[in-house]
């Protein structure tokens, strides 16, 4: 892969890091903060987030390229562990006023439902315990701005982050910019496909999908096809999958069958495809009971949530090209072992793509109440 070849020949770029220890990324200015151990002894590893506050964690003058982002935060508050859905990540390129990336921070890192899970893929990695990493490269010509908004009703004491980037001599005018957008329908419309992204115009590549599906009906939920309407497609798409588990690289409902046991879906994480999360547990209430820490969280409420499924697919070896426009949808179909049927579920998603700027303004992000997991 290209990044493995990158170190064979020096390209003249300059490496920089932005973190709470060096919030400007200035050369030779990291690790200067003081602690009780003295100057330069890890004086500021994190920043606080007040309720309702937006902070800019990175403001970079280009040309440059972000190569890695790492983030984590404390998510145990008396209001529950919806913090991962309440904290919003936005990224702005050059002089744009509207973000090119707008997602709840958990969903961006394939941790939907306000719940942590480990992800072991090529561009997104989430390691124990909630270390969220992004390796999508993000070049920019003039500027890059990254903001974090705390829409959680409470103060978040610690938000940790590291932005690793390079300054380079030039970014060509035909360079595509990174984009990502979250969407959700708490109850999908019967007989109508769920829309991941629409109104994308210009030239680019679609490179990834994250789906968080809370099943609101019985039986197998993943018969629906993913559809990619490109460059003027109207009634029918040009690119599609044969079903949800097929799109995510699995087969036959991901079932693992062992002698003497009922079939059950098997989770997996690979470089480009994964089904890392399934649960029926109310994770939010595992840790808090009536606003107080639960001394025995494992037995707090039991498996009383609707079934939740988190899946990802990266189109990095097989990016979906569009030259004029793009729309991506997911068909809501189930199977009861007898026939197909139309379903209604709670579906959320993140679409990831690269395109030439400018991009069309995103649909407004739903309010906190409409983002809360079930």
């Amino acid at each position: 892969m290209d990044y493995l070849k990158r170190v064979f020949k020096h390209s003249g770029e300059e490496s920089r890091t932005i973190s709470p220890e060096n919030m400007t990324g200035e050369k030779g200015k990291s690790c200067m903060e003081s602690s009780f151990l003295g100057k330069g002894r890890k004086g500021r590893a994190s920043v606080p987030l007040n309720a309702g506050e937006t902070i800019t964690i990175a403001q970079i003058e280009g040309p440059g390229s972000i190569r890695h982002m790492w983030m984590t935060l404390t998510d145990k508050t008396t209001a529950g562990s919806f913090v991962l859905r309440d904290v919003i990540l936005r990224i702005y390129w050059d002089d744009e006023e509207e973000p090119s990336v707008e997602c709840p921070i958990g969903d961006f890192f394939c941790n939907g439902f306000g719940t942590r899970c480990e992800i072991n893929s090529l561009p997104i990695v989430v390691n124990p315990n909630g270390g969220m990493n992004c390796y999508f490269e993000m070049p920019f010509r003039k500027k890059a701005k990254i903001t974090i908004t705390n829409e959680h009703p409470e103060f978040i004491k610690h938000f940790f982050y590291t932005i690793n980037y390079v300054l380079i001599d030039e970014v060509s005018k035909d360079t595509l910019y990174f984009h990502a957008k979250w969407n959700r329908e708490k109850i999908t419309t019967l007989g109508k496909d769920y829309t991941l992204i629409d109104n994308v115009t210009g030239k680019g590549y679609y490179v990834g999908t994250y789906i968080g599906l809370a099943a609101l009906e019985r039986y197998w939920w993943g018969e629906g096809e993913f559809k990619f309407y490109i460059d003027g497609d109207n009634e029918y798409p040009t690119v599609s999958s044969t079903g949800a588990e097929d799109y995510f690289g699995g087969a036959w409902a991901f079932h693992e069958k062992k002698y003497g046991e009922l079939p059950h879906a098997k989770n997996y994480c690979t470089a480009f495809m994964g089904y890392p999360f399934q649960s029926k547990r109310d994770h939010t209430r595992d840790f808090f009971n009536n606003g107080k820490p639960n001394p025995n969280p494992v037995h707090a409420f039991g498996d009383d949530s609707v079934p939740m499924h988190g899946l990802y697919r990266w189109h990095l070896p097989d990016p979906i090209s569009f030259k004029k426009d793009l729309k991506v949808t997911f068909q809501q179909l189930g199977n009861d072992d007898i026939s197909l049927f139309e379903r209604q579920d709670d579906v959320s998603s993140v679409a990831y793509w690269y395109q030439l700027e400018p991009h069309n303004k995103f649909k407004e992000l739903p309010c906190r109440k409409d983002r809360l997991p079930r």
Side-chain angles (χ1 to χ4, degrees):
M1 297 185 179
D2 288 344
Y3 62 85
L4 294 176
K5 300 176 182 178
R6 184 182 287 154
V7 295
F8 294 169
K9 183 179 179 180
H10 202 282
S11 300
E13 70 267 53
E14 298 181 17
S15 295
R16 297 287 188 270
T17 296
I18 287 178
S19 75
E21 291 276 8
N22 183 3
M23 301 181 76
T24 65
E26 188 176 353
K27 185 178 184 303
K29 298 295 184 180
S30 289
C31 304
M32 295 174 62
E33 298 289 337
S34 300
S35 72
F36 70 94
L37 294 175
K39 186 173 178 58
R41 310 307 293 173
K42 197 171 182 178
R44 183 168 59 187
S46 66
V47 295
L49 295 174
N50 293 311
E53 181 181 28
T54 296
I55 66 170
T56 298
I57 63 170
Q59 183 84 53
I60 307 170
E61 297 292 328
S65 186
I66 295 171
R67 290 183 173 172
H68 170 243
M69 299 191 303
W70 167 84
M71 300 176 184
T72 192
L73 69 164
T74 52
D75 66 353
K76 299 300 181 287
T77 70
T78 58
S81 60
F82 290 140
V83 172
L84 294 178
R85 183 62 64 85
D86 288 342
V87 173
I88 308 301
L89 169 69
R90 293 182 175 91
I91 303 178
Y92 303 78
W93 304 124
D94 297 343
D95 296 315
E96 65 184 7
E97 296 182 1
E98 300 292 335
S100 289
V101 173
E102 187 174 48
C103 298
I105 193 169
D107 294 74
F108 180 84
F109 291 98
C110 302
N111 275 211
F113 309 104
T115 302
R116 291 177 178 175
C117 72
E118 293 178 22
I119 307 293
N120 184 18
S121 76
L122 190 68
I124 298 291
V125 179
V126 180
N127 296 321
N129 182 20
M132 301 178 289
N133 299 268
C134 172
Y135 285 97
F136 279 113
E137 184 144 5
M138 306 178 190
F140 55 94
R141 281 189 292 277
K142 296 180 181 180
K143 299 175 184 176
K145 183 173 78 169
I146 304 174
T147 69
I148 297 294
T149 300
N150 177 18
E151 296 189 7
H152 196 62
E154 297 184 23
F155 172 74
I156 296 173
K157 186 176 181 179
H158 295 292
F159 179 80
F160 300 81
Y161 62 93
T162 300
I163 312 297
N164 292 310
Y165 64 99
V166 292
L167 300 177
I168 54 184
D169 291 334
E170 183 181 10
V171 174
S172 64
K173 291 184 178 180
D174 61 353
T175 295
L176 305 178
Y177 280 55
F178 180 78
H179 294 73
K181 184 68 175 77
W182 185 81
N183 192 33
R184 183 199 192 180
E185 289 185 30
K186 292 183 73 172
I187 302 178
T188 55
T189 302
L190 193 67
K192 181 180 179 181
D193 294 351
Y194 169 82
T195 298
L196 285 83
I197 195 70
D198 194 4
N199 196 34
V200 175
T201 60
K203 182 184 295 184
Y205 291 107
Y206 186 87
V207 295
T209 302
Y210 171 71
I211 285 285
L213 186 146
L216 305 183
E217 301 190 33
R218 293 182 62 191
Y219 305 116
W220 169 236
W221 48 268
E223 284 295 335
E225 300 170 334
F226 281 83
K227 303 177 184 179
F228 297 85
Y229 297 83
I230 55 178
D231 300 340
D233 288 343
N234 189 7
E235 185 175 1
Y236 298 105
T238 295
V239 176
S240 66
S241 71
T242 55
E245 79 268 52
D246 312 331
Y247 175 74
F248 292 107
W252 304 110
F254 308 112
H255 274 173
E256 181 178 49
K257 300 179 181 180
K258 295 183 179 180
Y259 181 77
E261 297 181 4
L262 292 173
H264 64 276
K266 183 176 182 179
N267 295 107
Y268 61 96
C269 275
T270 69
F272 302 113
M273 304 169 178
Y275 175 24
F277 182 78
Q278 61 172 321
S279 178
K280 293 188 293 182
R281 178 169 294 279
D282 186 344
H283 294 265
T284 300
R285 296 188 177 185
D286 269 352
F287 292 96
F288 290 93
N289 187 358
N290 295 324
K292 298 179 180 179
N294 193 324
N296 191 13
V298 175
H299 304 290
F301 282 80
D303 294 337
D304 62 347
S305 178
V306 297
M308 297 173 287
H309 309 273
L311 310 97
Y312 65 84
R313 163 76 185 268
W314 310 123
H315 293 272
L316 295 174
D318 59 338
I320 296 173
S321 172
F322 58 95
K323 297 180 179 180
K324 296 180 180 179
D325 52 69
L326 172 70
K327 177 182 179 180
V328 184
T329 67
F330 170 46
Q331 204 172 39
Q332 279 283 278
L333 294 179
N335 191 320
D336 61 5
D337 284 337
I338 298 175
S339 64
L340 298 175
F341 66 95
E342 301 280 0
R343 289 183 63 97
Q344 291 177 280
D345 292 305
D346 181 344
V347 182
S348 58
S349 62
V350 181
Y352 308 78
W353 74 98
Y354 287 86
Q355 72 163 95
L356 290 175
E357 289 285 8
H359 71 276
N360 290 331
K361 182 179 179 180
F362 292 159
K363 182 176 67 173
E364 186 175 354
L365 193 72
C367 67
R368 179 180 185 265
K369 179 181 177 182
D370 291 335
R371 293 198 311 268
L372 290 177
R374 290 181 180 274

